[in-house]
Amino acid sequence: MIGFIVITRKIKNIAFVLIMCLLPTLSSAQSIKIKAEFDSLAIVIGDQIKFRIEIDQPKNAMVQMPVLTDTLVGKVEILKAFPADTTKNGENLHISKQYLVTSFDSGNYVVAPLLFPFKMEKMDDTFKTEALLLKVYTVPLDTAKDVRDIKPPLKAPFSLAEIWLYILIGVVVIIIGFVIWYFIKKNKKEPLFSVKAIVEPPHIVAIRELDKLRADKLWQNNKVKDYYTRLTEIVRVYIEHRFGIFALEMTSDEIVAALKGVNLDDIKSVDLLRTMFSAADLVKFAKLEPLPNENEISLLNTYQFVNNTLEMNSPTKEQDGEQPAISLNKENL
Amino acid sequence: MSELVNIKELNDRIQQESSFVDLLNIEMGKVIVGQKHLVESLLIGLLSDGHVLLEGVPGLAKTLAIKTLADTIDARFSRIQFTPDLLPADLIGTMVYSPKNEEFIVKKGPIFANFILADEINRSPAKVQSALLEAMQEKQVTIGVNTYTLEKPFLVLATQNPIEQEGTYPLPEAQVDRFMLKVVLDYPKKEEERLIIRQNLGKAFPTPNRILNPADIMRAREIVKEVYMDEKIEKYILDIVFATRYPAEYGLPKFTGMINYGGSPRASISLALASKAYAFIKRRGYVIPEDVRAVCHDVLRHRIGLSYEAEAENITSVDIITEILNTVEVP
């Protein structure tokens, strides 16, 4: 009996030892591990490193991640938050969350313990990570060297991927434009025979207008001013087309001076014109009423000027209908 | 017919009355070598009761020309050197206390003269410029409680230097407009400058004779107003001035964005009056398009406001006026 009792006690002891040995294994399957760490514990100002949170948890546990927005601590800035990466490991889940951080101010920064509230099998608790220290060093200055200007921004390498959309839009616009132009051109009915306006030589036009002026008998009907206005306009238009002098925008003296610059064979013609212009100016601007024979002389002088200066070898030219022929009309006069 | 006779008579009268112009030119020619345009412009201002703004680098005989003109006329001449510390009272006068009479008496300033030379007008602050320009416009000055009418003829000839702009007070557009003419002077020709050297190195500097008195000028001004201007010339003047305001309507759309403001009605009046005075100088009783073109640049160059675009393109008001004259049809 005593022996049986001893054996029973030994079995109990062995069982207790076995249970005590297996207990940690069983409990590890049900525990939560959270770790927060930097890539490096010391950086130079502006350097970028990763801040990593690793969570190992059972599937049935609910762990709440802390919300980190733009600042980790003090002047340690979060540049980018990467999406969490979750992997399965048997009955456990491994969650990894990374942040890209930097600091633009030197110093020692202590990241306070992060709190992770969790819920597992009717148990609510909070996990606390360890505090972390990040050292940010400034750039060492070499005072022996010269002070230099800030470097300009570096140019990003040209990438076709950035502009392909614009090129595509441009090509489409060009194609559309070409198609429209093609159809307009195709549908445009061109006449079989284009009408060509006959361009008369300036002296023909001038002489015809002078004939018309004479026939209108303006000065005989007390319209001396109109008579001289038309007379000077006819000769100005003639000079403009015959010599290429912008006579309509010139005064009488300027026209005479400009004609002297042209190599005229008969310089007396310019004198005739000067006489006519002088009389015309007096009539137009000083209300002079010349004698009837003076009016006739002015007309004859103009005829003579045109005859003496006409271009001998100026055949009648033909011009496309789109361009107006040189002719005197009421607008010109 | 009666009008015709009047114009003929007027023409004869002007031929007779304007004979002093030749004499004046001779007397001024004794002292001023070359600068024909300057002398003509001074005469236009004198005959049309318009003030003249002269612009040119130092040493172009601006002051000498004005002084010589004053010397040929039996009139009072004042020269006022505009400086940054000049006060309006230095110009128009002030009230001073007389211990003898135990009262304030009026001490008239140098503006009480027939010919005023405002030398380097842009060197003085705006309040002094305003005092002068007000007197130019109103032809009267108020000192204390009394208003004094200025002597006739009253002609202001102001000069300004296009260089050394630092520390100057440019005249505002509204005040520049009160000058009938703005004359820009250029260097004399080589031959003229040779004569200038000889004249200045000679034993005695020539002096002009007095050939006119203020009454002659006042009479000539009345006759200038009578110079005949035909409707065609009036239309030509209006076309030119309107082309400075609405260039696109006159076939110059390229100037539309270059002109902030064109010539005012005062510009039209000045152009007409200056054309008449020019015709008088040329001893004619009627205005012809040549007269308008001859004075057009001087009348309009300071009355066209250029935009930033024009300045960026190096377009000046003179370029615009020249283009307008080459585009607007001559009657």
Side-chain angles (χ1 to χ4, degrees), chain B residues 101-165:
Chain B
N101 302 325
E102 294 184 340
E103 63 179 6
F104 280 95
I105 58 165
V106 174
K107 184 170 170 48
K108 290 179 178 176
I111 205 164
F112 288 89
N114 299 107
F115 294 100
I116 308 291
L117 170 59
D119 224 352
E120 298 198 87
I121 191 170
N122 54 340
R123 296 264 169 224
S124 278
K127 59 184 176 183
V128 184
Q129 291 173 0
S130 292
L132 175 70
L133 294 161
E134 199 180 328
M136 282 163 59
Q137 185 73 13
E138 307 295 331
K139 306 272 169 64
Q140 62 181 29
V141 164
T142 303
I143 304 170
V145 291
N146 298 318
T147 299
Y148 301 91
T149 307
L150 295 168
E151 294 174 51
K152 287 182 182 174
F154 176 68
L155 182 67
V156 174
L157 304 142
T159 71
Q160 66 177 15
N161 195 335
I163 56 170
E164 295 170 7
Q165 292 300 309

Coordinates of all heavy atoms in Angstrom, one line a residue, chain B residues 101-165:
Chain B
N101 N 5.7 151.0 -43.5 CA 4.3 151.3 -43.6 C 3.5 150.5 -42.6 O 2.2 150.7 -42.6 CB 3.8 151.0 -45.0 CG 4.6 151.8 -46.0 OD1 5.0 153.0 -45.8 ND2 4.9 151.2 -47.2
E102 N 4.1 149.6 -41.9 CA 3.5 148.7 -41.0 C 2.3 147.9 -41.6 O 1.2 147.9 -41.1 CB 3.0 149.5 -39.8 CG 4.1 150.0 -38.9 CD 3.6 150.7 -37.7 OE1 2.4 151.1 -37.6 OE2 4.4 150.9 -36.7
E103 N 2.6 147.4 -42.8 CA 1.6 146.6 -43.5 C 2.3 145.6 -44.4 O 3.5 145.7 -44.7 CB 0.6 147.5 -44.3 CG 1.4 148.2 -45.4 CD 0.4 149.1 -46.2 OE1 -0.7 149.2 -45.9 OE2 1.0 149.6 -47.2
F104 N 1.5 144.6 -44.8 CA 2.0 143.6 -45.8 C 1.9 144.2 -47.2 O 0.9 144.7 -47.6 CB 1.3 142.3 -45.7 CG 1.7 141.5 -44.5 CD1 1.0 141.5 -43.3 CD2 2.8 140.6 -44.7 CE1 1.4 140.8 -42.3 CE2 3.2 139.8 -43.6 CZ 2.5 139.9 -42.4
I105 N 3.0 144.1 -47.9 CA 3.0 144.5 -49.3 C 3.3 143.3 -50.2 O 3.9 142.4 -49.8 CB 4.0 145.7 -49.6 CG1 5.4 145.2 -49.3 CG2 3.5 146.9 -48.9 CD1 6.4 146.1 -49.8
V106 N 2.8 143.4 -51.5 CA 3.0 142.3 -52.4 C 4.3 142.4 -53.1 O 4.7 143.5 -53.6 CB 1.8 142.3 -53.5 CG1 2.1 141.3 -54.6 CG2 0.5 142.1 -52.8
K107 N 5.1 141.4 -53.1 CA 6.3 141.3 -53.8 C 6.1 140.4 -55.0 O 6.0 139.1 -54.7 CB 7.5 140.9 -52.9 CG 8.8 141.0 -53.6 CD 10.0 140.8 -52.6 CE 11.3 140.6 -53.3 NZ 11.6 141.5 -54.3
K108 N 6.0 140.9 -56.2 CA 5.7 140.0 -57.3 C 6.9 139.2 -57.7 O 8.1 139.7 -57.6 CB 5.3 140.9 -58.5 CG 3.9 141.5 -58.3 CD 3.5 142.3 -59.5 CE 2.1 142.9 -59.3 NZ 1.8 143.8 -60.4
G109 N 6.7 138.0 -58.1 CA 7.7 137.1 -58.5 C 8.2 137.3 -60.0 O 7.6 138.1 -60.7
P110 N 9.1 136.5 -60.4 CA 9.6 136.6 -61.8 C 8.6 136.2 -62.8 O 8.9 136.4 -64.0 CB 10.8 135.7 -61.8 CG 10.6 134.7 -60.6 CD 9.8 135.4 -59.6
I111 N 7.5 135.6 -62.4 CA 6.5 135.2 -63.4 C 5.8 136.4 -64.1 O 5.2 136.3 -65.2 CB 5.5 134.3 -62.8 CG1 4.9 133.4 -63.9 CG2 4.4 135.0 -62.0 CD1 4.1 132.2 -63.4
F112 N 6.0 137.6 -63.4 CA 5.4 138.8 -64.0 C 6.3 139.4 -65.1 O 7.0 140.3 -64.8 CB 5.1 139.8 -62.9 CG 4.0 139.4 -62.0 CD1 4.2 138.6 -60.9 CD2 2.7 139.8 -62.3 CE1 3.1 138.2 -60.1 CE2 1.6 139.4 -61.5 CZ 1.8 138.6 -60.4
A113 N 6.3 138.7 -66.2 CA 7.1 139.1 -67.3 C 6.4 138.7 -68.6 O 5.4 137.9 -68.5 CB 8.5 138.6 -67.3
N114 N 6.8 139.1 -69.8 CA 6.2 138.7 -71.0 C 6.7 137.3 -71.5 O 6.0 136.5 -71.9 CB 6.5 139.7 -72.1 CG 5.9 141.1 -71.8 OD1 6.6 142.0 -71.5 ND2 4.6 141.1 -71.8
F115 N 8.0 137.2 -71.3 CA 8.6 135.9 -71.7 C 9.3 135.2 -70.5 O 10.1 135.9 -69.8 CB 9.7 136.1 -72.8 CG 9.2 136.6 -74.0 CD1 9.2 138.0 -74.4 CD2 8.6 135.7 -74.9 CE1 8.7 138.4 -75.6 CE2 8.0 136.2 -76.1 CZ 8.1 137.6 -76.4
I116 N 8.8 134.0 -70.2 CA 9.4 133.3 -69.1 C 10.2 132.1 -69.6 O 9.6 131.3 -70.4 CB 8.3 132.7 -68.2 CG1 7.3 133.8 -67.8 CG2 8.8 132.0 -66.9 CD1 7.8 134.8 -66.8
L117 N 11.4 132.0 -69.2 CA 12.2 130.9 -69.5 C 12.2 130.0 -68.2 O 12.9 130.3 -67.3 CB 13.6 131.2 -70.0 CG 14.6 130.1 -70.1 CD1 14.0 129.0 -71.1 CD2 15.9 130.5 -70.5
A118 N 11.5 128.9 -68.3 CA 11.5 128.0 -67.1 C 12.5 126.9 -67.4 O 12.3 125.9 -68.1 CB 10.1 127.3 -67.0
D119 N 13.7 127.1 -66.9 CA 14.8 126.3 -67.3 C 14.8 125.0 -66.4 O 14.7 125.1 -65.2 CB 16.2 127.0 -67.0 CG 17.1 126.8 -68.2 OD1 16.8 126.0 -69.0 OD2 18.2 127.5 -68.2
E120 N 14.9 123.9 -67.1 CA 14.9 122.6 -66.5 C 13.7 122.4 -65.6 O 13.8 122.2 -64.3 CB 16.2 122.3 -65.8 CG 17.3 122.2 -66.7 CD 18.6 121.6 -66.2 OE1 18.6 120.3 -66.3 OE2 19.4 122.2 -65.6
I121 N 12.5 122.5 -66.1 CA 11.2 122.6 -65.4 C 11.0 121.3 -64.6 O 10.4 121.3 -63.5 CB 10.0 122.8 -66.3 CG1 8.8 123.1 -65.6 CG2 9.8 121.7 -67.3 CD1 7.6 123.6 -66.4
N122 N 11.6 120.2 -65.0 CA 11.4 118.9 -64.3 C 12.3 118.7 -63.1 O 12.4 117.7 -62.5 CB 11.6 117.7 -65.3 CG 12.9 117.7 -66.0 OD1 13.5 118.8 -66.1 ND2 13.3 116.6 -66.6
R123 N 13.1 119.8 -62.8 CA 13.9 119.6 -61.6 C 13.2 120.1 -60.3 O 13.7 119.9 -59.2 CB 15.2 120.5 -61.7 CG 16.1 120.2 -62.8 CD 17.2 119.3 -62.4 NE 17.9 118.8 -63.6 CZ 18.3 117.5 -63.7 NH1 18.1 116.7 -62.7 NH2 18.9 117.1 -64.8
S124 N 12.0 120.7 -60.5 CA 11.3 121.2 -59.3 C 10.1 120.2 -59.0 O 9.6 119.6 -59.9 CB 10.8 122.6 -59.5 OG 11.8 123.5 -59.3
P125 N 9.7 120.2 -57.7 CA 8.6 119.4 -57.3 C 7.3 119.8 -58.0 O 7.2 120.9 -58.5 CB 8.5 119.5 -55.8 CG 9.7 120.2 -55.4 CD 10.3 120.9 -56.6
A126 N 6.3 118.9 -57.8 CA 5.0 119.1 -58.5 C 4.3 120.4 -58.1 O 3.7 121.0 -58.9 CB 4.1 117.9 -58.2
K127 N 4.5 120.8 -56.8 CA 3.7 122.0 -56.4 C 4.2 123.3 -57.2 O 3.4 124.2 -57.5 CB 3.8 122.2 -54.9 CG 5.2 122.4 -54.3 CD 5.1 122.4 -52.8 CE 6.6 122.5 -52.3 NZ 6.6 122.5 -50.8
V128 N 5.5 123.3 -57.5 CA 6.1 124.5 -58.2 C 5.6 124.4 -59.7 O 5.2 125.4 -60.3 CB 7.6 124.5 -58.1 CG1 8.1 125.7 -58.8 CG2 8.0 124.5 -56.7
Q129 N 5.7 123.2 -60.2 CA 5.3 123.0 -61.6 C 3.8 123.4 -61.7 O 3.4 124.1 -62.7 CB 5.4 121.5 -62.0 CG 6.9 121.1 -62.1 CD 7.0 119.6 -62.4 OE1 6.0 118.9 -62.4 NE2 8.2 119.1 -62.5
S130 N 3.0 123.0 -60.7 CA 1.6 123.3 -60.8 C 1.3 124.8 -60.8 O 0.4 125.3 -61.5 CB 0.8 122.7 -59.6 OG 0.9 121.3 -59.7
A131 N 2.1 125.5 -59.9 CA 1.9 127.0 -59.8 C 2.2 127.6 -61.2 O 1.5 128.5 -61.6 CB 2.9 127.5 -58.8
L132 N 3.2 127.1 -61.9 CA 3.6 127.7 -63.2 C 2.5 127.4 -64.2 O 2.0 128.2 -65.0 CB 4.9 127.2 -63.6 CG 5.3 127.6 -65.0 CD1 5.6 129.1 -65.1 CD2 6.6 126.8 -65.5
L133 N 2.1 126.1 -64.2 CA 1.2 125.6 -65.2 C -0.2 126.2 -65.0 O -0.9 126.5 -66.0 CB 1.1 124.1 -65.2 CG 2.4 123.4 -65.7 CD1 2.5 122.0 -65.2 CD2 2.6 123.5 -67.1
E134 N -0.5 126.5 -63.8 CA -1.8 127.2 -63.5 C -1.8 128.6 -64.1 O -2.7 129.1 -64.7 CB -2.1 127.2 -62.0 CG -3.5 127.5 -61.7 CD -3.7 127.5 -60.1 OE1 -3.0 126.8 -59.4 OE2 -4.6 128.2 -59.7
A135 N -0.7 129.3 -63.8 CA -0.5 130.6 -64.4 C -0.5 130.6 -65.9 O -1.1 131.5 -66.5 CB 0.8 131.2 -63.9
M136 N 0.1 129.6 -66.5 CA 0.0 129.5 -68.0 C -1.4 129.4 -68.5 O -1.7 129.9 -69.5 CB 0.8 128.2 -68.4 CG 2.3 128.3 -68.3 SD 3.1 126.7 -68.3 CE 2.6 126.0 -69.8
Q137 N -2.2 128.6 -67.8 CA -3.5 128.3 -68.2 C -4.4 129.5 -68.0 O -5.2 130.0 -68.8 CB -4.1 127.1 -67.5 CG -5.4 126.6 -67.9 CD -5.4 126.0 -69.3 OE1 -4.3 125.6 -69.8 NE2 -6.5 125.8 -69.9
E138 N -4.4 130.1 -66.7 CA -5.3 131.1 -66.3 C -4.8 132.5 -66.7 O -5.6 133.4 -66.8 CB -5.5 131.1 -64.8 CG -5.9 129.7 -64.2 CD -7.2 129.3 -64.6 OE1 -8.1 130.1 -64.9 OE2 -7.4 128.1 -64.7
K139 N -3.6 132.6 -67.0 CA -2.9 133.9 -67.3 C -3.2 134.9 -66.2 O -3.3 136.1 -66.4 CB -3.5 134.5 -68.6 CG -3.5 133.6 -69.8 CD -2.2 133.7 -70.5 CE -1.9 132.7 -71.6 NZ -2.8 132.6 -72.7
Q140 N -3.2 134.4 -65.0 CA -3.4 135.3 -63.8 C -2.8 134.5 -62.6 O -2.7 133.3 -62.6 CB -4.8 135.7 -63.6 CG -5.7 134.5 -63.3 CD -7.2 135.0 -63.1 OE1 -7.6 136.0 -63.6 NE2 -7.9 134.2 -62.3
V141 N -2.5 135.3 -61.6 CA -1.8 134.8 -60.4 C -2.5 135.4 -59.2 O -2.8 136.6 -59.2 CB -0.3 135.1 -60.4 CG1 0.3 134.9 -59.0 CG2 0.4 134.3 -61.4
T142 N -2.7 134.6 -58.1 CA -3.3 135.1 -56.9 C -2.2 135.1 -55.8 O -1.6 134.0 -55.5 CB -4.5 134.2 -56.5 OG1 -5.4 134.2 -57.6 CG2 -5.1 134.7 -55.2
I143 N -2.0 136.3 -55.2 CA -1.1 136.4 -54.1 C -1.9 136.9 -52.9 O -2.4 138.0 -53.0 CB 0.1 137.3 -54.5 CG1 0.8 136.8 -55.7 CG2 1.1 137.4 -53.3 CD1 1.9 137.8 -56.2
G144 N -1.9 136.2 -51.9 CA -2.8 136.6 -50.8 C -4.2 136.6 -51.2 O -4.7 135.5 -51.6
V145 N -4.9 137.7 -51.1 CA -6.3 137.8 -51.5 C -6.5 138.5 -52.8 O -7.6 138.5 -53.3 CB -7.1 138.5 -50.4 CG1 -7.2 137.7 -49.1 CG2 -6.6 139.9 -50.1
N146 N -5.4 139.0 -53.4 CA -5.5 139.7 -54.6 C -5.1 138.8 -55.8 O -4.1 138.1 -55.8 CB -4.6 140.9 -54.6 CG -5.0 141.9 -53.5 OD1 -6.2 142.1 -53.3 ND2 -4.1 142.4 -52.7
T147 N -5.8 139.0 -56.9 CA -5.5 138.3 -58.2 C -5.0 139.3 -59.2 O -5.5 140.4 -59.4 CB -6.8 137.6 -58.7 OG1 -7.3 136.7 -57.8 CG2 -6.5 136.9 -60.0
Y148 N -3.9 138.9 -59.8 CA -3.2 139.8 -60.7 C -3.2 139.2 -62.1 O -2.8 138.0 -62.2 CB -1.7 140.1 -60.2 CG -1.6 140.7 -58.9 CD1 -1.5 139.9 -57.7 CD2 -1.7 142.1 -58.7 CE1 -1.5 140.5 -56.5 CE2 -1.6 142.7 -57.5 CZ -1.5 141.9 -56.3 OH -1.5 142.4 -55.1
T149 N -3.6 139.9 -63.1 CA -3.5 139.5 -64.4 C -2.1 139.6 -65.0 O -1.5 140.7 -64.7 CB -4.5 140.3 -65.3 OG1 -5.8 140.2 -64.7 CG2 -4.6 139.7 -66.7
L150 N -1.6 138.6 -65.7 CA -0.3 138.6 -66.2 C -0.2 139.5 -67.4 O -1.2 139.6 -68.1 CB 0.2 137.2 -66.4 CG 0.4 136.3 -65.2 CD1 0.6 134.9 -65.6 CD2 1.5 136.8 -64.3
E151 N 1.0 140.0 -67.7 CA 1.1 140.9 -68.8 C 0.9 140.1 -70.1 O 1.2 138.9 -70.2 CB 2.5 141.5 -68.8 CG 2.8 142.4 -67.7 CD 4.2 142.9 -67.6 OE1 4.7 143.3 -68.6 OE2 4.9 142.7 -66.5
K152 N 0.5 140.9 -71.2 CA 0.4 140.3 -72.5 C 1.4 140.8 -73.4 O 1.7 142.0 -73.4 CB -1.0 140.6 -73.1 CG -2.1 139.8 -72.4 CD -3.5 140.1 -73.0 CE -4.5 139.3 -72.3 NZ -5.9 139.7 -72.8
P153 N 2.0 140.1 -74.3 CA 1.9 138.6 -74.4 C 2.6 137.9 -73.2 O 3.6 138.4 -72.7 CB 2.6 138.4 -75.7 CG 3.6 139.5 -75.8 CD 3.0 140.7 -75.2
F154 N 2.1 136.8 -72.9 CA 2.7 136.0 -71.8 C 3.0 134.6 -72.4 O 2.1 133.9 -72.9 CB 1.7 135.8 -70.7 CG 2.2 134.9 -69.6 CD1 3.3 135.3 -68.8 CD2 1.6 133.7 -69.4 CE1 3.7 134.4 -67.8 CE2 2.1 132.8 -68.4 CZ 3.1 133.2 -67.6
L155 N 4.3 134.4 -72.5 CA 4.7 133.1 -73.2 C 5.7 132.4 -72.3 O 6.7 133.0 -71.9 CB 5.4 133.5 -74.5 CG 5.8 132.3 -75.4 CD1 4.7 131.5 -75.9 CD2 6.6 132.9 -76.6
V156 N 5.4 131.2 -72.0 CA 6.3 130.3 -71.2 C 7.1 129.4 -72.1 O 6.4 128.7 -72.9 CB 5.6 129.6 -70.1 CG1 6.5 128.6 -69.4 CG2 4.9 130.5 -69.1
L157 N 8.4 129.4 -72.0 CA 9.2 128.5 -72.8 C 10.0 127.7 -71.8 O 10.8 128.2 -71.1 CB 10.1 129.3 -73.7 CG 9.4 130.2 -74.6 CD1 10.1 131.5 -74.8 CD2 9.1 129.6 -75.9
A158 N 9.5 126.5 -71.6 CA 10.2 125.6 -70.6 C 11.2 124.7 -71.3 O 10.9 124.2 -72.5 CB 9.1 124.8 -69.9
T159 N 12.2 124.4 -70.6 CA 13.2 123.4 -71.2 C 13.2 122.2 -70.2 O 13.0 122.3 -69.0 CB 14.6 124.0 -71.3 OG1 15.1 124.2 -70.0 CG2 14.6 125.3 -72.0
Q160 N 13.5 121.1 -70.8 CA 13.8 119.9 -70.0 C 14.9 119.1 -70.7 O 15.0 119.1 -71.9 CB 12.6 119.1 -69.6 CG 11.8 118.4 -70.7 CD 10.7 117.6 -70.1 OE1 10.2 117.8 -69.0 NE2 10.1 116.8 -70.9
N161 N 15.6 118.4 -69.8 CA 16.8 117.7 -70.3 C 16.4 116.2 -70.4 O 15.9 115.6 -69.4 CB 17.9 117.9 -69.2 CG 19.2 117.5 -69.7 OD1 19.3 116.7 -70.6 ND2 20.2 118.1 -69.1
P162 N 16.6 115.6 -71.6 CA 16.2 114.2 -71.7 C 17.2 113.2 -70.9 O 16.8 112.1 -70.7 CB 16.3 113.9 -73.2 CG 17.3 114.9 -73.7 CD 17.2 116.1 -72.8
I163 N 18.3 113.7 -70.5 CA 19.3 112.9 -69.8 C 19.2 113.3 -68.3 O 18.6 114.2 -67.9 CB 20.7 112.9 -70.4 CG1 21.2 114.4 -70.4 CG2 20.8 112.3 -71.8 CD1 22.7 114.5 -70.7
E164 N 20.0 112.6 -67.5 CA 20.0 112.8 -66.1 C 18.6 112.8 -65.5 O 18.2 113.8 -64.9 CB 20.8 114.1 -65.8 CG 22.2 114.1 -66.2 CD 22.8 115.5 -66.1 OE1 22.1 116.4 -65.6 OE2 24.0 115.7 -66.5
Q165 N 17.9 111.8 -65.6 CA 16.5 111.7 -65.1 C 16.4 111.5 -63.6 O 15.4 111.6 -63.0 CB 15.7 110.6 -65.8 CG 15.5 111.0 -67.3 CD 14.7 112.2 -67.5 OE1 13.7 112.5 -66.9 NE2 15.3 113.1 -68.3

